[in-house]
Amino acid sequence: MSKARRRALVTATTLLALLGSGSPAVPAVLPFQSPIAAHHPGDAVLHGTSSNWAGYSATGGRFTSVSAGWVQPAVDCAKSDAWSGFWIGLDGDGSKTVEQIGTEADCSGGSPVYSSWYEMYPAYPSTFKDTVRPGDHFTASVTTDGSGAFTLTLSDTTQGWSHVIDKSLKNAALASAEVIAEAPSSLFGVLPLADFDVVRFTDAKVNGKDLGAANPSLIDMAKNGVTKATTSALSDGTDFSVTWHHR
């Protein structure tokens, strides 16, 4: 399987919450990114296992669209600070560009923090201001004309808000398409994975066809011999779940 680079993900919402609480556990983001937050390519994926990704990644072709839906999971914040992200995107698995959009469920000072965001790496990420609650149903898509124009869409169909973002990225590799649950990373490595129990992705499509038609790789999340999250088989070629196991 192709290599993927580390992706740092600490949203502005989370960081500000940490600063406000006086927590000593504010994670350091990668030095070449925004001082507040950064989203960028993933950690190495080998033999279907990654230290920070769980889900599906399609590679070995040219990818111009990806879409899926999911229900925002609630996180159990009984322990120390932890992070989790749920997103769809193009690139990042074996390429230096990322075009992705999604939500986050973090733990700060014992309380859950929910947010949403998009990114066109290497530009800095942007966090939406809309309220995100556990149980909200989201639909998302990333599409491109193949010549540098991208449209990223995220809709909270439960609360009735939506964002359509038009951006340009001339050097996008278009080398992969992903539907992912992630353990964010900091300067010091992969952060603790928030206990989200189970996140279910539905109606996942790549290049306008069912995700399964792209022959994607199933990815489980594991680090130092510890399984952190597992990915189910595809149902009907479009639906799957990721189950949390360990921080």
Side-chain angles (χ1 to χ4, degrees):
M1 190 179 201
S2 61
K3 290 185 178 179
R5 300 176 185 272
R6 177 171 298 156
R7 175 179 180 272
L9 175 56
V10 182
T11 66
T13 300
T14 303
L15 184 55
L16 290 173
L18 285 166
L19 290 172
S21 68
S23 169
V26 178
V29 299
L30 295 184
F32 50 87
Q33 287 297 294
S34 162
I36 295 178
H39 307 268
H40 52 110
D43 189 2
V45 178
L46 297 172
H47 307 298
T49 301
S50 167
S51 68
N52 66 337
W53 281 10
Y56 282 89
S57 174
T59 58
R62 189 170 187 266
F63 299 93
T64 57
S65 71
V66 60
S67 61
W70 65 92
V71 174
Q72 177 76 356
V75 284
D76 182 349
C77 294
K79 298 183 179 179
S80 59
D81 294 346
W83 293 260
S84 61
F86 315 99
W87 53 268
I88 57 100
L90 298 174
D91 289 325
D93 185 351
S95 62
K96 296 180 180 180
T97 56
V98 166
E99 309 86 38
Q100 59 190 203
I101 194 164
T103 64
E104 193 156 346
D106 303 328
C107 293
S108 171
S111 297
V113 180
Y114 301 103
S115 59
S116 57
W117 51 270
Y118 77 92
E119 187 191 14
M120 297 285 293
Y121 181 82
Y124 293 154
S126 296
T127 301
F128 299 123
K129 295 181 180 180
D130 306 86
T131 298
V132 174
R133 293 190 176 97
D136 286 1
H137 178 262
F138 284 89
T139 60
S141 65
V142 176
T143 62
T144 179
D145 64 357
S147 299
F150 287 84
T151 299
L152 301 89
T153 303
L154 183 68
S155 299
D156 184 332
T157 62
T158 302
Q159 300 200 49
W161 61 259
S162 183
H163 290 279
V164 179
I165 308 297
D166 293 315
K167 291 289 182 179
S168 296
L169 188 62
K170 296 297 183 183
N171 64 340
L174 306 183
S176 63
E178 301 93 16
V179 182
I180 295 292
E182 181 175 10
S185 300
S186 76
L187 177 63
F188 303 105
V190 178
L191 293 164
L193 179 64
D195 181 357
F196 57 82
D197 190 20
V198 177
V199 59
R200 294 177 174 85
F201 293 97
T202 57
D203 199 27
K205 296 184 181 297
V206 170
N207 287 351
K209 299 180 180 180
D210 291 352
L211 172 61
N215 193 28
S217 296
L218 182 155
I219 305 169
D220 290 329
M221 192 187 308
K223 185 179 181 182
N224 298 328
V226 176
T227 298
K228 300 174 70 175
T230 54
T231 302
S232 74
L234 285 172
S235 174
D236 297 326
T238 61
D239 302 349
F240 68 95
S241 61
V242 176
T243 301
W244 181 92
H245 293 282
H246 195 276
R247 292 167 53 84

